[in-house]
C-alpha cells in the first residue's frame, strides 16, 4: 500500500504487533540481510524498515506511475445569433462529469494547482480503486453568455430618430456589450494530516466522512461580515469529518463531489458612445464594469487541504478531535474572494 507497498502481509502483522507493544520503530539496527556498504560494514536501517523483504530499498515514492484511468462525459449546447439589426449574441451551456484516479502528473502538476491536482495515492496492492473519484477539474454545470448591441436609438435608428444634432449627441450612437458566466464551484480535496500510525506516510491518508451531515458551515455568509472574528469558515469540518482509526484508511474519496467551493457568478459589461466631430474625426467614450453585479466570488485556500493538526496516534487509540485540531486555513474563504465591481472609463 502506498510507499509501503513492499511490505508483505506477514511483515505488516509483525509491525502492528511491535508498534502496539510500544517498540521504537525508528530505532537503528543492522539490516537482517547482512548487506554491507562500500566500507564493508553492515548497513544500519530503522526497525520498521528491517521488516521489508529488502530492508535497504526504501520507500516506493510513486506507486501510481504505472498508468492511469480517466473518463469524461458531457452534454454541450451552443446557440449563436449572427450580427443583424445591430445585435449579436452567443449562449453556451455544458453539463459534464469527469472521473479519474489521478488528475495530472509531471513537473507542471503541483499541490498548489487545485484546478488540476496531484494524485496523492493511498493504495493497497497497487490497486487504483481507492483513488477513483471525480476529477479535480469537474464542473457539473457551466453557463456562458456574451453579446454585442448597437442600441437602436438616435438619428437614423429605429427609435427616437431625432434630427436635432445636439439631442442625437446625447442619445445616439451608443453601443453595449457584455459577458456572463454562471458555473458550479470546484470540488474540494481533504487530507487527514496524519499517517494514522502506518509504518510510512502512505502519502495522504484521508479522513472519514460522517453521513447525513451538511458539509457546509451554516450561516457562513454572516461569518464573512463579522468584524470581530475576521474569518469565514465555509466547511463544517468538525462535524463532517472524523479521523481514521489507527492503521486504517478513511472513507473520504480523493476528490469530494459533495463538498464544493461556492458557485461562480460573474457579469462584465461595457458601454461605448461615439461623438461625431468631423468627417474623419470622432470622440469615443467607453465605460467598462468588471463584476458589474458586485457579486463576490469566494474560494477556499487552494494550497492547503490538510485537515488536522496535532493529532497523535498512540497504540490502537484513535485521537479525539477538538476545534483547535482543525487547521485554521482549511475550508476558510476569508482571504480568497473576487468579483467585486470595478469601473474604468476612458476617452479616445
Amino acid at each position: 500500500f502506498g510507499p509501503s507497498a513492499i511490505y508483505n502481509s506477514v511483515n505488516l502483522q509483525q509491525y502492528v504487533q511491535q508498534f502496539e507493544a510500544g517498540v521504537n520503530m525508528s530505532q537503528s539496527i543492522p539490516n537482517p540481510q547482512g548487506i554491507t556498504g562500500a566500507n564493508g560494514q553492515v548497513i544500519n536501517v530503522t526497525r520498521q524498515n528491517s521488516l521489508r523483504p529488502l530492508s535497504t530499498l526504501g520507500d516506493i515514492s510513486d506507486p501510481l506511475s504505472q498508468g492511469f484511468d480517466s473518463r469524461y462525459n458531457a452534454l454541450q449546447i451552443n446557440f449563436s445569433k449572427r450580427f443583424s439589426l445591430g445585435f449579436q449574441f452567443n449562449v453556451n451551456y455544458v453539463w459534464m462529469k469527469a472521473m479519474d484516479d489521478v488528475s495530472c502528473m509531471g513537473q507542471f502538476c503541483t499541490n498548489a494547482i487545485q484546478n488540476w491536482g496531484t494524485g496523492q495515492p493511498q493504495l493497497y496492492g497497487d490497486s487504483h480503486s481507492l483513488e477513483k473519484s471525480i476529477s479535480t477539474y469537474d464542473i457539473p454545470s457551466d453557463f456562458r453568455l456574451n453579446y454585442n448591441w448597437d442600441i437602436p436609438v438616435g438619428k437614423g435608428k429605429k427609435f427616437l430618430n431625432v434630427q436635432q444634432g445636439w439631442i442625437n449627441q446625447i442619445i445616439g450612437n451608443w453601443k453595449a456589450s457584455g459577458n456572463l458566466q454562471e458555473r458550479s464551484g470546484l470540488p474540494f480535496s481533504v487530507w487527514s494530516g496524519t499517517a494514522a500510525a502506518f509504518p510510512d506516510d502512505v502519502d495522504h491518508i484521508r479522513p472519514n466522512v460522517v453521513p447525513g451531515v451538511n458539509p457546509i458551515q451554516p450561516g457562513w455568509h454572516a461569518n464573512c461580515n463579522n468584524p470581530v472574528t475576521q474569518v469565514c469558515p465555509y466547511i463544517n469540518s468538525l462535524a463532517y469529518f472524523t479521523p481514521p482509526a489507527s492503521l486504517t484508511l478513511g472513507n473520504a474519496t480523493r476528490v469530494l463531489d459533495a463538498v464544493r467551493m461556492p458557485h461562480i457568478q460573474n457579469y462584465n459589461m461595457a458601454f461605448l458612445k461615439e461623438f461625431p466631430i468631423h468627417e474623419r474625426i470622432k470622440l469615443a467614450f467607453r465605460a467598462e464594469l468588471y463584476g458589474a453585479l458586485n457579486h463576490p466570488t469566494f474560494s477556499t485556500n487552494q494550497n492547503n487541504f490538510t485537515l488536522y493538526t496535532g493529532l497523535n496516534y498512540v497504540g490502537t487509540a484513535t485521537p479525539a478531535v477538538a476545534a483547535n485540531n482543525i487547521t485554521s486555513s482549511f475550508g476558510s474563504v476569508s482571504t480568497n474572494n473576487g468579483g467585486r465591481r470595478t469601473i474604468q472609463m476612458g476617452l479616445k
Side-chain angles (χ1 to χ4, degrees):
F1 53 92
S4 303
I6 59 176
Y7 281 97
N8 59 39
S9 58
V10 175
N11 288 341
L12 180 57
Q13 183 179 7
Q14 292 177 3
Y15 173 88
V16 172
Q17 292 172 349
Q18 295 182 33
F19 175 81
E20 293 179 351
V23 176
N24 180 7
M25 303 307 293
S26 299
Q27 179 185 1
S28 181
I29 62 174
N31 75 84
Q33 290 83 24
I35 301 173
T36 59
N39 59 3
Q41 301 295 317
V42 174
I43 299 174
N44 283 350
V45 297
T46 61
R47 185 176 292 277
Q48 69 180 36
N49 283 346
S50 72
L51 301 179
R52 300 177 185 268
L54 291 176
S55 58
T56 59
L57 181 61
D59 294 349
I60 297 176
S61 61
D62 192 0
L64 276 179
S65 61
Q66 68 271 25
F68 315 101
D69 298 301
S70 63
R71 183 175 73 248
Y72 174 86
N73 296 286
L75 170 67
Q76 302 184 33
I77 301 174
N78 190 76
F79 180 73
S80 297
K81 179 188 179 301
R82 296 182 178 179
F83 190 81
S84 62
L85 302 176
F87 190 59
Q88 172 272 329
F89 71 88
N90 183 81
V91 176
N92 177 269
Y93 178 72
V94 177
W95 180 45
M96 61 91 81
K97 183 81 169 184
M99 300 192 69
D100 55 35
D101 48 41
V102 62
S103 293
C104 89
M105 187 178 180
Q107 60 178 322
F108 301 110
C109 179
T110 66
N111 295 347
I113 308 177
Q114 161 62 10
N115 288 359
W116 299 106
T118 53
Q120 307 304 344
Q122 50 167 11
L123 305 179
Y124 282 107
D126 289 338
S127 168
H128 287 201
S129 60
L130 292 174
E131 304 309 301
K132 184 179 179 181
S133 72
I134 60 169
S135 305
T136 57
Y137 50 83
D138 178 72
I139 304 295
S141 183
D142 191 354
F143 173 84
R144 298 173 188 251
L145 163 71
N146 63 75
Y147 65 89
N148 290 285
W149 187 24
D150 187 354
I151 301 176
V153 173
K155 185 177 180 180
K157 301 298 178 64
K158 185 175 181 179
F159 301 103
L160 298 178
N161 185 8
V162 296
Q163 300 302 314
Q164 295 91 337
W166 67 273
I167 297 180
N168 186 64
Q169 290 284 30
I170 297 175
I171 66 173
N173 300 309
W174 282 97
K175 296 179 175 63
S177 63
N179 59 76
L180 169 70
Q181 180 186 28
E182 291 266 3
R183 70 167 176 82
S184 307
L186 286 169
F188 205 74
S189 299
V190 59
W191 307 328
S192 71
T194 176
F198 277 105
D200 288 313
D201 183 31
V202 199
D203 267 320
H204 290 284
I205 294 292
R206 298 185 283 269
N208 290 310
V209 171
V210 179
V213 175
N214 183 3
I216 307 305
Q217 184 74 33
W220 70 272
H221 280 100
N223 292 331
C224 295
N225 296 322
N226 190 329
V228 178
T229 60
Q230 297 186 11
V231 295
C232 187
Y234 173 69
I235 298 177
N236 193 8
S237 306
L238 196 59
Y240 190 67
F241 298 112
T242 59
S246 179
L247 293 169
T248 67
L249 302 176
N251 62 19
T253 56
R254 179 175 57 89
V255 183
L256 301 169
D257 194 5
V259 185
R260 291 182 174 270
M261 299 181 195
H263 77 279
I264 303 298
Q265 181 187 80
N266 190 38
Y267 176 51
N268 305 314
M269 62 185 305
F271 293 98
L272 174 66
K273 163 69 175 171
E274 294 181 345
F275 299 89
I277 297 177
H278 189 268
E279 181 179 347
R280 299 176 61 185
I281 300 175
K282 60 184 177 181
L283 180 66
F285 166 76
R286 185 174 181 87
E288 298 171 332
L289 293 82
Y290 299 96
L293 301 179
N294 203 30
H295 187 285
T297 298
F298 296 91
S299 75
T300 54
N301 188 340
Q302 299 178 1
N303 301 331
N304 189 353
F305 307 114
T306 302
L307 176 61
Y308 298 123
T309 180
L311 294 186
N312 183 26
Y313 284 83
V314 179
T316 59
T318 300
V321 179
N324 60 2
N325 289 126
I326 303 295
T327 304
S328 59
S329 59
F330 180 84
S332 173
V333 295
S334 55
T335 59
N336 299 274
N337 51 64
R340 293 161 291 188
R341 184 188 297 126
T342 301
I343 303 174
Q344 65 180 27
M345 295 178 288
L347 287 172
K348 182 177 179 182

